[in-house]
Amino acid sequence: MTTLDQPTRPVAAPASTAGRDRPVRRELGVANTLSHGFLLLWALLTVLPLLWMFISSFKTNGEILADPWGLPGALHLDNWARAWTGAHIGRYFLNSLVVVAGSVSLTMLMGATAAYVFARYEFRGRQVVYYLFVGGLMFPVFLALVPLFFVVRNAGLFGTWAGLILVYAAYSLPFTVFFLTAFFRTLPTSVAEAAMVDGCGHFRLFFRVMLPMARPGLISVAIFNFLSHWNQFLLPQVLMQGDESKWMLAQGLFALSVSQGYAGDYARLFAGLSIAVLPVLAVYVAFQRQVQAGLTAGQLK
Amino acid sequence: MRHGKWPLIVTFLVPPVLLYVVFVVSPYLQAFQISTTDWLGYSPDANQVGLANFKTLWHDDYVWNALKNNAVLLALVPVLTIVLGLFFATMLAMGGRKGRAGVTGVRGGALYRTVYFFPQVLSVVIIALLWKEVYHPNQGLLTAALHGIGLSAPTWLGDPATAFWCVLAVMVWSNVGFYVVLFGAAMSAVPKEIYEAVLLDGASRFTTLRRVTLPLLWDTVQVAWVYLAIFALDGFILVQLMTNGGPNFSTDVIGVRMYDTAFGSETKFGYASAIGVVMFFLTLSVAVLSLRVGRRERIEYS
């Protein structure tokens, strides 16, 4: 077939481009419509539940019960107020903010320093310690859950934000160290050597030269850690029982969902969920390229 | 360069190693030890019982039921997610084939990817609570939609016959977008000339996908498989928040079993740790197995 075609093609092509293009384009049109159909369908499936949640958060409970698909008659912002103050979602939100700010900072500091040493310095036992860290990527958190509960309690950190911050950071170290070690290795040695020749010490070299050069990698990992700490549920559930005023956002939402079952205040639940979703979606839309890169790199070890 | 490196190594390495050993390594090691005791938690006495916990586990029908559910998830969630992910990634990457000029993405591809990725940035807690409302038997989105077109609706999460499938659907829903992006990134790394050569030879879209794209993407698909398998063995948060294993244990998974055993009405820490150890070995063997089975020759673009 191909051998038969070959001699005619180059001759015929320039002459009849316009005529040949039309059937191709029609076929393309059908395929494109089909692609867009499926793609749109999934986009709708993704967005609809979220959209429904936002819209419902402005309705009255009566409207939600009578017509789940309908639009709100008026914007009932009091639902949001009831969730923010009445259900303490505002307080839990700030609690989460404090803990996540602490845990991400700690993770980045410890992860970056350890990764830098692994990437740039030779010493005995380096491989062993490195694999000790990276091995943590393989284990399910479940196995550690029971003993962790007692380790944290015996350290006097049970039910404290400091405890959560340390635990979040410890469990984020495997990925952070793994990713950043690879990243520090890619940085040019020549710059480091030039700085050393100019009399720069080891510490100064790290903080003044290497850390700024590693910024893209640091940002990716920081976003990854921010999302995973912000979305953490299991660890606070186990380590932050009791004192409600210190709860994380996820715990507060769960409690709100449970109490909604009795109170029937659907609008308040939807408002609470919306409060939790909006900032994360805003951060995502603003930094989507970094978020997607960070999260996919996180899976592709 | 070599002079005075030790102060830095020590100050930079000791704090992270300490933190990691105290909160990660030591709990994992202790878990294995606790699994061989009959420890009931808050009292300090724990007796060594050897493998008795594992023997009890073997005869525990609730554990077997949970394992069976995990097995179904393990069989279905990765396949469905990867097929849908590949399908949409292909649509996005090649939907706009321009005659013989080559392969282009569809218009608005970046927007689709942004939207598909939404569930990935949301907390699993929010996804679980939101879908619980979507499945609500009276005023949920789904029930209302079915009633709207004059059909009757099941009670979704309330019915042992449907609850499991409802949870499974949410698992797939929340993962597909991520793998669309992942596969999309891998596809864009494939040199365009390869596609152009194949198209010139007159290959159809489907052949292109099956014979060219998939083999080139194999590494990525395999990694996706391992992660989805680990995800399917866990499933804890979605199940606990949406159904808590019910109704009538129809959605129970091994993670919920373990959590209830350890932190439920009775604190059987020894037994719970034994479940954890089983989970650990299951996860490990699934990961190793899928890497083994999927091993093929690596393709590198020169």
Side-chain angles (χ1 to χ4, degrees):
Chain A
M1 275 296 277
T2 38
T3 41
L4 263 178
D5 263 2
Q6 255 164 6
T8 53
R9 204 176 265 163
V11 187
S16 62
T17 320
R20 277 253 226 111
D21 235 23
R22 213 167 288 143
V24 172
R25 196 172 285 162
R26 194 176 307 139
E27 184 209 7
L28 178 73
V30 172
N32 254 346
T33 320
L34 210 68
S35 312
H36 273 292
F38 283 120
L39 289 169
L40 261 177
L41 189 70
W42 190 262
L44 274 179
L45 268 176
T46 310
V47 172
L48 254 182
L50 291 171
L51 208 60
W52 180 64
M53 172 187 81
F54 281 124
I55 292 172
S56 300
S57 77
F58 295 111
K59 290 156 91 166
T60 63
N61 282 307
E63 284 173 329
I64 291 174
L65 289 169
D67 184 9
W69 281 77
L71 290 172
L75 290 184
H76 293 275
L77 292 169
D78 55 303
N79 297 331
W80 288 58
R82 267 206 322 283
W84 182 261
T85 49
H88 309 299
I89 292 299
R91 184 200 290 159
Y92 301 140
F93 194 95
L94 295 177
N95 291 353
S96 284
L97 217 52
V98 171
V99 168
V100 170
S103 62
V104 171
S105 315
L106 190 67
T107 309
M108 294 314 291
L109 180 70
M110 294 213 161
T113 52
Y116 178 67
V117 171
F118 289 132
R120 294 265 153 182
Y121 290 90
E122 283 289 346
F123 58 93
R124 274 172 68 102
R126 185 183 68 161
Q127 293 282 24
V128 178
V129 186
Y130 177 70
Y131 282 114
L132 182 73
F133 271 108
V134 175
L137 281 169
M138 292 292 292
F139 302 140
V141 187
F142 272 101
L143 185 57
L145 218 50
V146 168
L148 181 66
F149 174 81
F150 288 96
V151 167
V152 170
R153 211 179 59 157
N154 294 340
L157 293 167
F158 184 75
T160 64
W161 290 344
L164 277 188
I165 290 175
L166 289 174
V167 170
Y168 284 7
Y171 281 84
S172 307
L173 278 179
F175 171 68
T176 308
V177 167
F178 174 80
F179 188 97
L180 289 179
T181 302
F183 202 86
F184 276 121
R185 284 213 180 104
T186 64
L187 297 181
T189 322
S190 54
V191 180
E193 275 164 0
M196 290 299 254
V197 170
D198 288 349
C200 188
H202 288 278
F203 285 93
R204 253 179 77 121
L205 177 67
F206 175 73
F207 286 107
R208 288 293 171 80
V209 181
M210 301 309 273
L211 219 46
M213 277 206 295
R215 192 183 291 155
L218 293 172
I219 290 176
S220 285
V221 182
I223 291 174
F224 175 86
N225 283 325
F226 167 77
L227 281 173
S228 73
H229 294 183
W230 183 260
N231 291 337
Q232 191 50 252
F233 176 67
L234 193 56
L235 291 173
Q237 175 96 330
V238 172
L239 303 176
M240 187 58 81
Q241 298 162 11
D243 191 356
E244 279 183 34
S245 64
K246 288 186 187 167
W247 276 3
M248 297 293 100
L249 186 57
Q251 292 174 283
L253 287 172
F254 178 45
L256 182 59
S257 159
V258 172
S259 73
Q260 177 269 127
Y262 304 112
D265 195 346
Y266 295 97
R268 188 182 60 168
L269 175 65
F270 286 121
L273 289 174
S274 302
I275 291 172
V277 165
L278 268 184
V280 178
L281 274 193
V283 170
Y284 165 60
V285 171
F287 298 99
Q288 46 169 308
R289 192 153 346 131
Q290 285 97 323
V291 174
Q292 290 187 0
L295 286 183
T296 42
Q299 304 271 318
L300 265 186
K301 308 186 300 182
Chain B
M1 188 76 189
R2 302 279 146 253
H3 178 71
K5 65 173 182 177
W6 281 105
L8 179 126
I9 294 181
V10 171
T11 30
F12 275 19
L13 211 50
V14 168
V17 168
L18 263 181
L19 183 77
Y20 186 68
V21 166
V22 169
F23 289 110
V24 181
V25 178
S26 95
Y28 278 123
L29 293 179
Q30 287 178 51
F32 284 96
Q33 194 262 325
I34 295 173
S35 73
T36 62
T37 67
D38 62 356
W39 194 24
L40 287 176
Y42 300 94
S43 70
D45 16 288
N47 304 308
Q48 284 294 329
V49 292
L51 297 177
N53 284 328
F54 294 92
K55 228 175 269 170
T56 319
L57 242 168
W58 187 258
H59 298 290
D60 188 334
D61 287 342
Y62 293 108
V63 168
W64 279 109
N65 169 58
L67 269 178
K68 190 207 77 198
N69 285 337
N70 274 121
V72 178
L73 292 178
L74 185 63
L76 291 180
V77 171
V79 177
L80 289 173
T81 312
I82 288 176
V83 166
L84 281 172
L86 276 173
F87 178 72
F88 291 122
T90 313
M91 290 279 172
L92 285 172
M94 306 200 291
R97 185 195 267 195
K98 273 198 193 124
R100 288 208 271 105
V103 177
T104 52
V106 292
R107 273 202 295 179
L111 186 67
Y112 281 124
R113 263 187 281 269
T114 304
V115 170
Y116 287 4
F117 208 73
F118 278 172
Q120 195 61 34
V121 297
L122 299 182
S123 131
V124 190
V125 176
I126 290 173
I127 289 173
L129 298 179
L130 176 58
W131 275 89
K132 205 173 155 188
E133 296 307 319
V134 170
Y135 284 131
H136 197 288
N138 299 327
Q139 62 277 351
L141 197 59
L142 265 174
T143 310
L146 285 185
H147 285 170
I149 52 174
L151 293 171
S152 66
T155 49
W156 310 110
L157 296 174
D159 185 343
T162 50
F164 181 77
W165 306 106
C166 291
V167 175
L168 191 148
V170 177
M171 288 181 176
V172 174
W173 178 85
S174 62
N175 276 312
V176 165
F178 175 82
Y179 290 97
V180 170
V181 171
L182 188 69
F183 294 146
M187 280 178 188
S188 62
V190 176
K192 276 217 160 120
E193 295 81 44
I194 294 185
Y195 283 115
E196 276 159 22
V198 179
L199 288 182
L200 276 179
D201 286 345
S204 75
R205 258 162 216 270
F206 182 69
T207 323
T208 316
L209 177 66
R210 202 167 57 91
R211 306 299 289 268
V212 182
T213 315
L214 265 187
L216 290 177
L217 245 61
W218 193 250
D219 271 354
T220 317
V221 172
Q222 199 186 334
V223 171
W225 200 281
V226 175
Y227 276 97
L228 284 163
I230 292 174
F231 174 84
L233 279 178
D234 177 350
F236 166 75
I237 297 178
L238 274 179
V239 171
Q240 201 206 17
L241 298 190
M242 285 175 75
T243 63
N244 201 10
N248 196 20
F249 295 96
S250 59
T251 58
D252 208 11
V253 289
I254 196 77
V256 172
R257 272 299 89 235
M258 182 186 163
Y259 188 87
D260 282 355
T261 311
F263 302 103
S265 53
E266 299 169 276
T267 50
K268 295 193 213 160
F269 285 120
Y271 193 51
S273 292
I275 299 181
V277 168
V278 169
M279 252 183 104
F280 167 74
F281 283 112
L282 276 179
T283 312
L284 205 66
S285 20
V286 163
V288 170
L289 249 166
S290 26
L291 285 171
R292 268 288 155 83
V293 171
R295 185 180 290 168
R296 291 200 185 173
E297 224 168 295
R298 231 192 151 82
I299 298 159
E300 280 178 18
Y301 318 118
S302 49

